[in-house]
Amino acid sequence: MNINIAQWQQGLTGLRLTARLNVMTQGHAGKGNLVMTIPETAINWLDADIPIQLTGIVNKDLMQASAQLPVKVTGMLTDPTIEFQPGSLLRFKGQLTETLTVKDARLPLAGSTLSSKGFNGHLNAIVLAEDTIWGDYRVHFAGRSTDFLPDQGNWQWRYWGEGNLLPLKARWDIAGTGSWVDNMVSFETLNTGFDVLTYQHTSMLAPRLTLLTPFRWLRNDKNPLFEGKLKLTSQRIDFPAGDS
């Protein structure tokens, strides 16, 4: 850690700060190093404008995160706002459960802000994952957030993706819209289809799933709720022939 404070004799209003901080981590993927740098910057406690660069890798247990985050810290330093600059990107990968591995999860953050109230602005995500039981998939989320943190605020999004469903030996695609408002996650529209579904000796050609009523997931430990209705259609269903 290297911190240099200049012009401190002039009091808090005249401070100029230069800093470099290294954080070392250790995980299944080895050692990681996260570096934070602040070029020489005047410190205004009531109206800050501090450029910060976060670059590097954090390893924790089976997960790894990498950051390329040019940001600015603005506003009152007692309650600052972080403004993500062009090129801001967070990435994650690693094993979440015994069967599920995130191959690559990307969160492009350029143009959004983060404060004590949450995220504001565009909030997008791209997830590439593989499950040894359910198969692999790639899903995109693109939306806009208002004072959003998990179970707080509002995130409206649309989503689309594709993958392979191993148990039914099918390739699928998905698209729709949804939201996360406070502790309620909703899928308002959904349209997902498969090339073919095969179970034992019965097969369905080009089946599609759509919503009759939105899916609602209330994230409440005491009174959780999960509800919604689906409709399944297919071009053709082939049943096994009877024994002769």
Side-chain angles (χ1 to χ4, degrees):
M1 181 171 62
N2 185 5
I3 299 177
N4 181 42
I5 300 176
Q7 300 182 12
W8 55 270
Q9 301 93 335
Q10 300 180 21
L12 294 178
T13 57
L15 289 180
R16 298 190 68 84
L17 173 68
T18 306
R20 179 183 175 90
L21 175 65
N22 285 59
V23 178
M24 302 295 295
T25 58
Q26 179 76 44
H28 182 74
K31 293 182 179 180
N33 183 27
L34 183 67
V35 180
M36 181 183 74
T37 56
I38 303 175
E40 184 174 335
T41 304
I43 303 299
N44 186 327
W45 293 84
L46 299 179
D47 188 18
D49 187 11
I50 305 172
I52 299 176
Q53 178 77 40
L54 280 171
T55 306
I57 293 174
V58 175
N59 290 327
K60 176 67 173 177
D61 298 329
L62 298 177
M63 296 298 295
Q64 181 183 87
S66 62
Q68 182 69 35
L69 295 175
V71 304
K72 279 190 176 183
V73 176
T74 62
M76 296 181 63
L77 289 181
T78 54
D79 188 17
T81 295
I82 298 174
E83 300 178 358
F84 294 95
Q85 303 301 299
S88 293
L89 178 66
L90 271 178
R91 302 182 75 169
F92 301 89
K93 65 179 181 179
Q95 187 174 348
L96 284 179
T97 68
E98 290 185 359
T99 63
L100 178 60
T101 299
V102 176
K103 296 292 187 180
D104 186 23
R106 284 177 281 170
L107 282 75
L109 295 171
S112 62
T113 65
L114 174 63
S115 69
S116 59
K117 294 181 179 179
F119 281 96
N120 282 275
H122 294 291
L123 190 57
N124 306 325
I126 305 168
V127 180
L128 177 64
E130 182 177 5
D131 191 287
T132 56
I133 297 175
W134 295 103
D136 61 88
Y137 57 88
R138 181 187 182 95
V139 180
H140 298 244
F141 289 87
R144 190 166 187 85
S145 59
T146 303
D147 296 339
F148 175 77
L149 290 172
D151 296 336
Q152 172 188 312
N154 189 336
W155 180 24
Q156 303 283 333
W157 29 260
R158 60 188 181 93
Y159 61 93
W160 66 96
E162 59 184 7
N164 290 290
L165 187 60
L166 287 180
L168 299 178
K169 300 178 181 178
R171 182 156 186 83
W172 57 267
D173 61 81
I174 192 171
T177 58
S179 64
W180 190 344
V181 180
D182 296 329
N183 62 347
M184 177 69 78
V185 180
S186 302
F187 290 85
E188 304 296 337
T189 63
L190 176 145
N191 190 343
T192 186
F194 307 85
D195 53 356
V196 64
L197 288 181
T198 302
Y199 182 72
Q200 294 183 349
H201 300 292
T202 301
S203 63
M204 303 176 69
L205 178 63
R208 298 205 71 83
L209 277 173
T210 54
L211 285 176
L212 290 176
T213 62
F215 268 122
R216 310 282 192 207
W217 175 24
L218 179 63
R219 292 164 50 88
N220 186 302
D221 292 336
K222 294 183 178 180
N223 297 295
L225 173 68
F226 192 81
E227 63 179 7
K229 293 182 180 180
L230 290 166
K231 179 175 71 172
L232 176 65
T233 60
S234 177
Q235 292 183 7
R236 189 180 74 238
I237 302 177
D238 295 327
F239 296 98
D243 294 333
S244 57

